[in-house]
Amino acid sequence: MKCKAARKLLIDHLGGHLDPGDQRELAHHLETCSACARFWTGARQTMAAVTPVQPVRASADFKERIMKEIALSHPLPVSSPPVSSSKSSADRVIHRAGLSKPVWIAGLAALLLLAIPLFDLLFFPNPESGRDRAAAGLLARAWAAEQDLFSGEGVVYLVNEILVHPVNNPELAGIRWLPMATLQASGQMQMNQLRLPAGPGESYRLSDTALYDPPTGRFMRIVQKDDQVIFATSYDGKSVFTFQPGEAGEARVVKTPVAETFQAPKDPAGFLGIGAGFQSRIDEQDATRVQRLEDTTLADGTPARVLRSTLPAPEGTPESYVLFRIRQDNDTIAEMEWMAAGEPLLLFRRIKTSTLEDRGIHWDLSEIDTQAKPAASSPEVVPDVVIPDVSVEHMAEKADFAAYIFSATPAWTQRRVILDILDIASPPHRMFALAYPAQDKRHVVMIQAVTYNQAFGGLVKQGTLIYTSPNGFKVWSTPQDKMGAMIALQSLRAVIQDAPSENRTGYILESPAGTFPALAVNGPVTDDELHGLIDSLVPVKNAE
Amino acid sequence: MNSLIAVDLVKELDAPPAVTDEAWTRGWPQTAREFEALVEAFQDRLVRFAFRRLGHRQDAEDAIQQVLVNVFLHRIKYRDVPHVTAFLYRMAANACVDAARKRGRRAEVSLEAIASREPVDGIPSAASETAAREEFRRIETWLAVLPRRQAEVIRCRVFDELSFADIARIIGRSEATVKSRFRYGLLKLKKKILSEGEVAK
């Protein structure tokens, strides 16, 4: 190798570029040519003279700042650490209870339904309704602390995660869902269903990011599984944005300028807070259902109180309750876990609470990533899990089974409200709830559903026939009457307001068409009153 | 020649080329997670790059933050642009030009004023920033003897640790041109530095 070629290669090497073949030749040349060796030393010294040694690095929080900034236009997915799978005991409990699976599933679905405080928003957008800040009790304080998060200065920035726990029972694993509310441009709340399907033993987590600007009511909520946006809604002060999954898996964002009737969310904590849509109100009417368990320590080392709020469940079905883990340092809810049969089904966990400056937040969802195609069994949003206050015509059109309605409003009640609800245990069938609020609190509720029609046939066999009407209706009394009435009345709290009374009455009806409506009255009824009610039942298709 | 020195030199040659940062071969990030990996891989390099052009860490970080956020917001647009590294540096260079221009309009901030600025949370102290700035100034004094283009290639190599291929893409010239600029620049610099060394002796 000539010296000229060798020196060229040596400089190339300083430039970070040298072929292995050249390297060998060069090494050989340097061993034999002292002039080039001196050149090499000099070149390296030169390089060293212009190479900085003072470290210049990005600040420690540089990446975090960037990720935060992009989170505002595209919230971050939460990484998915492995979740240990535990063996389900639900099967055993179901068998011990001797209940057929549809009833058990329907019961759970009903429990979820009755845990929807957002029903309040549908009817009575009053932030104080059902929430007594003065009420003693740790849970009340925790809810108050949650509400406080949504006041004050700056934009509230919360990230929660929703963990779908592994459950071995296939039906139970697949039945989980959450209500997801969207505020329409008219100001009407739309209630959607976020299905959280999972195979047996399968688990995953969703991130649930919320932003809220207290003075203007601007908000954003985005639910993601990894990078895939599953649900998104926002309000930028002028328009509402909704994320609508398309038929082919392609999603789009719809922007609608708000109408004059539009109002920002009245209960931002219920709309955007932890477990939004899953906050149980059971604790408020019956303090005996809330129990304090032994304190615990959260993953970050913070001491936490543990409260257990038991959900009412039909006798014989597995016990179901919500565990609240409440941070002792600031009384906020760190975790909410829905347990059934001693096993966790869903966990809501707060992973970030902070306040941002308003500057630069993209309330406009137009730039959100709509590319990702959802996998076949991924969570999805089904619109209109509840449509409040529909007409008789609507009910007649949508009911795909023989449905009935009272031809006249019961004498002691004042008005009628019909709700069109997704039959969660038998989708896509719709179920219909008739509610007749009464001034004397003896509200009347009747619920008709395909799930009930399939499940209650067995139940009435254990019951007593107490009346057969001239129009062919049978009234059955079963050991589950009180519990059934509790669930029916509780499900419609938003309409009837009052908590289920101790002396409530419940029956299962059997229609001439073989369907099984559930009837509940929030108080005692005389035989005459009951007979009057049943006699006035007419098929909804013939009504009016 | 002394065989010990020869062994040393050969050892030096055996060491891999001094590219300290891992090359980015993964294409444009399309998900938040991929983006985070990109930020991790490039944040120090790009901040250093901007720092030596702007002379102030906060300005450098602001400029690079904007570049990176744009990369993510417009990820669909960039998806088919080849050569992530080169393109990032080109965007960073543009951002620095913009930032310097804006600052020029705001009235130039003196180095002394920068040095006496209060350290901000999470940002290394003003003292280490001053030391880094002093060092850059010293190096720039050496580089000032070179033609502008040769100096720029050497900067890209020593400050930014870029490969010849990436430098070629950033400045829009062939790799051979880049190599030759580096070579002539370094030879000139060697002559200057070694002769000054002689004088110093």
Side-chain angles (χ1 to χ4, degrees):
Chain A
M1 180 182 266
K2 293 270 167 59
C3 289
K4 195 180 168 191
R7 290 176 188 194
K8 200 175 156 192
L9 287 175
L10 283 171
I11 293 179
D12 281 357
H13 181 56
L14 288 175
H17 187 96
L18 190 64
D19 293 336
D22 289 338
Q23 186 178 320
R24 243 174 286 118
E25 268 193 71
L26 205 49
H28 179 72
H29 180 79
L30 284 181
E31 279 175 41
T32 54
C33 177
S34 59
C36 281
R38 270 201 307 280
F39 174 88
W40 174 230
T41 308
R44 278 191 301 146
Q45 283 169 356
T46 305
M47 197 64 180
V50 294
T51 301
V53 294
Q54 289 289 337
V56 176
R57 277 194 280 274
S59 306
D61 65 343
F62 184 67
K63 186 179 87 183
E64 196 190 323
R65 288 200 320 256
I66 290 180
M67 298 313 280
K68 203 164 168 180
E69 190 176 340
I70 71 155
L72 301 183
S73 55
H74 179 114
L76 298 184
V78 178
S79 62
S80 316
V83 178
S84 69
S85 148
S86 60
K87 199 163 163 54
S88 165
S89 61
D91 271 323
R92 266 181 287 125
V93 179
I94 290 163
H95 291 306
R96 197 169 60 220
L99 281 174
S100 66
K101 280 185 183 176
V103 174
W104 148 248
I105 303 272
L108 273 175
L111 286 174
L112 261 176
L113 254 188
L114 70 88
I116 303 177
L118 286 175
F119 270 73
D120 280 352
L121 300 176
L122 291 168
F123 288 94
F124 305 103
N126 173 1
E128 296 305 319
S129 80
R131 295 247 169 80
D132 185 2
R133 275 170 185 267
L138 297 166
L139 203 45
R141 244 164 69 192
W143 283 125
E146 180 76 10
Q147 287 190 315
D148 286 345
L149 288 177
F150 288 86
S151 55
E153 312 246 316
V155 175
V156 185
Y157 172 38
L158 301 174
V159 183
N160 299 319
E161 66 179 358
I162 302 167
L163 177 57
V164 179
H165 279 302
V167 169
N168 284 333
N169 176 294
E171 279 103 340
L172 192 52
I175 197 71
R176 288 170 285 183
W177 64 279
L178 286 175
M180 288 276 137
T182 47
L183 204 46
Q184 295 173 320
S186 62
Q188 276 264 320
M189 192 72 72
Q190 183 186 16
M191 190 67 74
N192 309 297
Q193 181 197 33
L194 171 62
R195 283 192 190 156
L196 301 168
E202 190 193 343
S203 76
Y204 52 86
R205 61 187 68 204
L206 306 176
S207 73
D208 181 355
T209 306
L211 290 165
Y212 177 69
D213 182 33
T216 62
R218 288 177 297 176
F219 64 83
M220 182 191 299
R221 183 177 181 197
I222 301 184
V223 177
Q224 282 175 276
K225 185 184 178 197
D226 298 323
D227 292 330
Q228 181 202 334
V229 175
I230 288 160
F231 171 85
T233 178
S234 78
Y235 165 56
D236 70 353
K238 296 191 192 96
S239 300
V240 289
F241 297 82
T242 48
F243 178 82
Q244 300 188 338
E247 299 282 311
E250 288 294 324
R252 64 199 177 103
V253 172
V254 178
K255 173 181 178 177
T256 321
V258 296
E260 271 179 29
T261 49
F262 181 86
Q263 283 185 310
K266 287 287 192 294
D267 176 13
F271 187 60
L272 302 164
I274 190 165
F278 191 74
Q279 298 162 4
S280 166
R281 296 176 51 189
I282 306 306
D283 45 284
E284 288 155 11
Q285 6 128 11
D286 188 353
T288 61
R289 292 191 180 277
V290 183
Q291 221 185 320
R292 182 166 175 182
L293 308 181
E294 206 176 310
D295 288 353
T296 187
T297 308
L298 301 172
D300 67 1
T302 312
R305 297 189 184 93
V306 183
L307 301 178
R308 172 190 155 135
S309 175
T310 306
L311 303 170
E315 212 172 290
T317 57
E319 194 177 38
S320 178
Y321 55 93
V322 178
L323 286 178
F324 294 85
R325 296 186 188 93
I326 298 167
R327 296 176 66 98
Q328 287 194 14
D329 53 2
N330 61 9
D331 280 337
T332 59
I333 297 168
E335 292 179 356
M336 279 172 69
E337 193 160 28
W338 181 31
M339 310 283 292
E343 277 208 280
L345 301 184
L346 283 180
L347 174 72
F348 305 86
R349 179 189 289 149
R350 169 135 304 153
I351 56 178
K352 192 178 187 85
T353 308
S354 82
T355 310
L356 300 173
E357 280 178 43
D358 179 18
R359 191 164 61 89
I361 296 176
H362 299 250
W363 298 102
D364 179 336
L365 283 179
S366 303
E367 278 206 72
I368 200 170
D369 197 341
T370 55
Q371 308 184 81
K373 291 199 178 182
S377 69
S378 58
E380 58 169 337
V381 175
V382 181
D384 290 322
V385 65
V386 180
I387 308 174
D389 209 1
V390 299
S391 64
V392 174
E393 292 75 24
H394 174 104
M395 178 175 168
E397 188 196 329
K398 301 287 179 187
D400 54 1
F401 54 90
Y404 296 83
I405 189 166
F406 299 114
S407 60
T409 300
W412 64 93
T413 65
Q414 275 71 49
R415 63 193 174 96
R416 177 188 65 205
V417 178
I418 307 176
L419 285 91
D420 171 355
I421 306 168
L422 178 70
D423 188 343
I424 284 118
S426 314
H429 295 293
R430 307 293 298 188
M431 61 194 275
F432 295 88
L434 306 173
Y436 299 85
Q439 238 145 38
D440 65 1
K441 300 194 176 184
R442 290 190 304 143
H443 317 295
V444 176
V445 166
M446 186 167 77
I447 300 177
Q448 300 170 79
V450 168
T451 300
Y452 288 4
N453 296 342
Q454 290 166 352
F456 290 163
L459 199 55
V460 298
K461 287 193 187 114
Q462 307 161 20
T464 319
L465 180 63
I466 59 166
Y467 178 65
T468 304
S469 72
N471 54 10
F473 265 90
K474 290 175 180 155
V475 179
W476 295 91
S477 177
T478 77
Q480 301 286 343
D481 283 350
K482 285 266 178 197
M483 185 50 65
M486 156 74 100
I487 289 176
L489 292 165
Q490 185 67 34
S491 301
L492 294 165
R493 276 288 296 278
V495 183
I496 58 178
Q497 293 270 286
D498 298 302
S501 131
E502 275 305 307
N503 52 11
R504 61 188 179 268
T505 318
Y507 298 108
I508 293 175
L509 311 184
E510 183 177 351
S511 76
T515 64
F516 295 94
L519 176 70
V521 179
N522 193 37
V525 275
T526 64
D527 284 353
D528 282 351
E529 283 169 341
L530 179 64
H531 299 171
L533 266 183
I534 305 303
D535 293 353
S536 74
L537 280 167
V538 291
V540 68
K541 309 240 186 234
N542 304 341
E544 293 171 31
Chain B
M1 87 183 265
N2 185 327
S3 66
L4 269 180
I5 292 174
V7 168
D8 226 29
L9 290 174
V10 172
K11 254 194 216 156
E12 190 79 28
L13 277 174
D14 277 339
V19 179
T20 52
D21 290 302
E22 193 191 327
W24 183 264
T25 53
R26 277 175 272 177
W28 291 98
Q30 294 298 312
T31 66
R33 200 167 298 149
E34 289 166 11
F35 176 71
E36 194 172 358
L38 179 112
V39 173
E40 211 147 87
F42 281 99
Q43 56 177 354
D44 291 337
R45 286 194 261 178
L46 291 176
V47 167
R48 202 152 54 221
F49 178 86
F51 178 75
R52 87 168 160 78
R53 278 148 201 259
L54 296 171
H56 187 269
R57 176 192 295 277
Q58 195 57 58
D59 288 353
E61 292 199 347
D62 288 350
I64 299 307
Q65 178 163 351
Q66 209 41 57
V67 166
L68 289 170
V69 168
N70 277 334
V71 160
F72 190 72
L73 293 185
H74 303 290
R75 59 197 178 282
I76 298 165
K77 187 170 90 189
Y78 291 137
R79 199 164 39 190
D80 301 322
V81 177
H83 309 308
V84 173
T85 305
F87 200 77
L88 271 178
Y89 275 94
R90 202 184 292 169
M91 285 194 285
N94 292 338
C96 289
V97 170
D98 289 350
R101 218 176 27 217
K102 264 184 220 157
R103 200 170 52 185
R105 280 204 296 270
R106 276 204 323 253
E108 193 60 48
V109 183
S110 74
L111 285 179
E112 288 69 28
I114 291 166
S116 65
R117 238 162 94 151
E118 286 295 307
V120 186
D121 265 1
I123 293 172
S125 70
S128 75
E129 192 178 330
T130 309
R133 199 179 300 115
E134 282 307 314
E135 183 180 55
F136 280 134
R137 202 143 55 173
R138 180 179 58 73
I139 294 170
E140 285 296 335
T141 319
W142 288 122
L143 295 178
V145 305
L146 301 179
R148 196 173 46 83
R149 287 168 175 172
Q150 291 176 10
E152 187 54 24
V153 169
I154 290 179
R155 278 192 202 101
C156 283
R157 182 65 211 132
V158 297
F159 292 159
D160 307 323
E161 295 161 4
L162 290 164
S163 69
F164 286 145
D166 279 332
I167 299 170
R169 285 185 207 108
I170 293 166
I171 66 173
R173 290 282 178 275
S174 72
E175 204 173 321
T177 306
V178 170
K179 271 191 195 172
S180 114
R181 283 181 189 174
F182 179 77
R183 212 177 294 133
Y184 285 111
L186 198 76
L187 284 176
K188 218 169 281 175
L189 214 50
K190 174 169 170 276
K191 213 168 179 179
K192 174 84 177 165
I193 289 173
L194 293 187
S195 71
E196 296 219 349
E198 297 293 325
V199 171
K201 266 183 212 165

